[in-house]
Amino acid sequence: MIDDPVTVGVLSFHTSKETKAILNAVEELGHDTAWLRTENTSVSIVDGSVVLEPDVDVIANRMLLSNTEQPCEELGLANTFAQLVPMLNEPTSVLTAVHKLSTATALASRDVRTPNVTLALSSDTLNAARDRYGEEAVYKTAIGTHGGGTWKVGPDEPVNARVGNRYAFLQELVDREDVRHRDLRVYVVDGEIVAAMYRYAPDNDWRTNVALGGSVEDATGDLPDEAAEMAVRSAEAIGLDYAGVDLVEGDEGWFVLEVNPTAGFKGLYQATGVSPAPRIAKLAIERAGGDVDDERVDELSRVLDDSRPTAQPVQQTPTDTEPAVIGYIEEVVLSGTSGSSTVRAKSDTGATRTSIDTGLAADIGAGPIKSITRIRSGSSKTAKSRPVVDVVVGVGGNQHTVTASVEDRSHMDYPVLLGRDILENYRVDVSRRIDGGDGDTPEE
């Protein structure tokens, strides 16, 4: 029993396995917890005194900024809290990590090898740099996650300085011939490697993200010395207390691709049987001046406990869980490698996948084609083959990177059909139409 427990807060507005696991580990180590989220968090300044609720001694920052429409808002909140109590993964470091060009700049200045990149503020300047990157280049949004906002582009494919409201850049494709494409994720906590895994791309894709269906393999026991040293140096260079460092091997050695301040635990635990949560909990407790049993930390690291923590706030009103409403006909913004277009889209809860018109896909530079899928339309007994591509769809201020099918929709009223891959985030109101129509008979 800990005589003088500290209170560890985890700052996270989304419900994730990682946040739950950290909170549960803190409790198992004998200390108190608080989950800072929308239902229970406030800051007040009264007569010159600043009060943060809930009252905590230290904060572990798990703010997921890469999926946020306005990351500056949440960074500002985290920066406010960091002025009041110690914070793991401070906002300035997270800002560097979440912006891939800022990351690459920080690493290069510390002599950590990264792929060659070019970000330009104008599309003409960015396209002028395309010849530097050979037959295939990687094209990425500067802020993105889970493999979203990442494409391969050929030498004749024009690219845009922005994808939607995100800046984008060209990056050297680092790969080795005749070797199955993989990368290496190394999880670092407080300057020490907790575990590592190789991630392999799924069929019909080249990206290795577990969220996209990639497979994993334990790399902890045979981690190359160069990669291990680069991972630790990368986390230190960015200033992160904990991070998932992604590396890829090329002919010249290892290259650091990204340093993720909110890297997931699921794939790592699946591959290695090790959870980083107790190590993060230990660091937070000690940062607040608390005591930790190191043997207990080792024991807890063998389990990923993502059960509901006692610190999870009770939601105050039913409206907290109600999804946003989307109309039967909505105005959306589609973004690809060449530009963006605002169009009207029809919602179809019966469609698994979003579908876009061939001409529209060409106009915005959707793609490249990832694979071919077979789709059965309406009452048809036969399935048609359609290419699928990555595209960014903006709906009501939210952005969704989805793998959409491409078809000729020129004979249909709407160039975009929103499927369940997007509609699962909303409640569809069939009486609401941006075009002012009053019918609800499906066009197809």
Side-chain angles (χ1 to χ4, degrees), residues 119-123 126 139 159-163 166-169 337:
L119 182 147
L121 303 189
S122 81
S123 298
L126 187 61
Y139 177 62
V159 292
N160 204 40
R162 284 177 177 261
V163 175
R166 306 287 203 210
Y167 283 108
F169 63 95
T337 60

Side-chain angles (χ1 to χ4, degrees), residues 272-418:
T272 67
V274 175
S275 166
R279 302 289 176 187
I280 297 172
K282 165 184 161 68
L283 179 60
I285 293 166
E286 291 179 339
R287 189 71 59 86
D291 297 323
V292 176
D293 181 344
D294 288 338
E295 290 187 2
R296 183 63 176 143
V297 172
D298 291 337
E299 293 174 3
L300 293 173
S301 296
R302 302 185 194 115
V303 177
L304 179 59
D305 180 6
D306 59 356
S307 60
R308 181 187 177 97
T310 58
Q312 184 165 342
V314 176
Q315 292 175 332
Q316 296 175 345
T317 64
T319 57
D320 290 340
T321 61
E322 291 182 0
V325 177
I326 187 173
Y328 180 62
I329 307 299
E330 276 289 344
E331 191 170 78
V332 300
V333 180
L334 269 72
S335 302
T337 60
S338 301
S340 301
S341 182
T342 300
V343 298
R344 289 173 177 174
K346 192 189 82 167
S347 301
D348 184 357
T349 57
T352 303
R353 189 191 299 273
T354 292
S355 176
I356 64 175
D357 178 63
T358 306
L360 176 60
D363 290 342
I364 66 171
I369 294 173
K370 290 179 55 182
S371 63
I372 302 295
T373 188
R374 295 187 64 80
I375 296 176
R376 183 175 286 109
S377 177
S379 60
S380 174
K381 295 182 179 179
T382 59
K384 297 180 180 179
S385 295
R386 295 178 184 169
V388 294
V389 298
D390 276 348
V391 64
V392 180
V393 184
V395 183
N398 299 316
Q399 287 194 323
H400 309 274
T401 300
V402 296
T403 304
S405 63
V406 179
E407 63 173 329
D408 180 10
R409 297 181 60 85
S410 60
H411 60 292
M412 301 177 188
D413 292 337
Y414 304 100
V416 177
L417 183 78
L418 300 179

Side-chain angles (χ1 to χ4, degrees), residues 21-88:
I22 294 169
L23 290 166
N24 288 330
V26 171
E27 289 198 0
E28 288 291 335
L29 293 171
H31 293 269
D32 300 327
T33 60
W35 189 340
L36 280 72
R37 45 190 289 158
T38 55
E39 296 93 333
N40 67 338
T41 303
S42 66
V43 178
S44 302
I45 302 175
V46 180
D47 297 330
S49 297
V50 186
V51 178
L52 170 64
E53 292 290 345
D55 184 18
V56 296
D57 299 303
V58 64
I59 294 174
N61 184 6
R62 282 282 313 178
M63 293 275 268
L64 185 60
L65 300 174
S66 50
N67 284 345
T68 304
E69 182 73 13
Q70 299 292 341
C72 185
E73 291 281 355
E74 297 189 357
L75 267 176
L77 288 174
N79 190 53
T80 300
F81 304 155
Q83 297 176 63
L84 304 177
V85 296
M87 178 176 285
L88 306 188

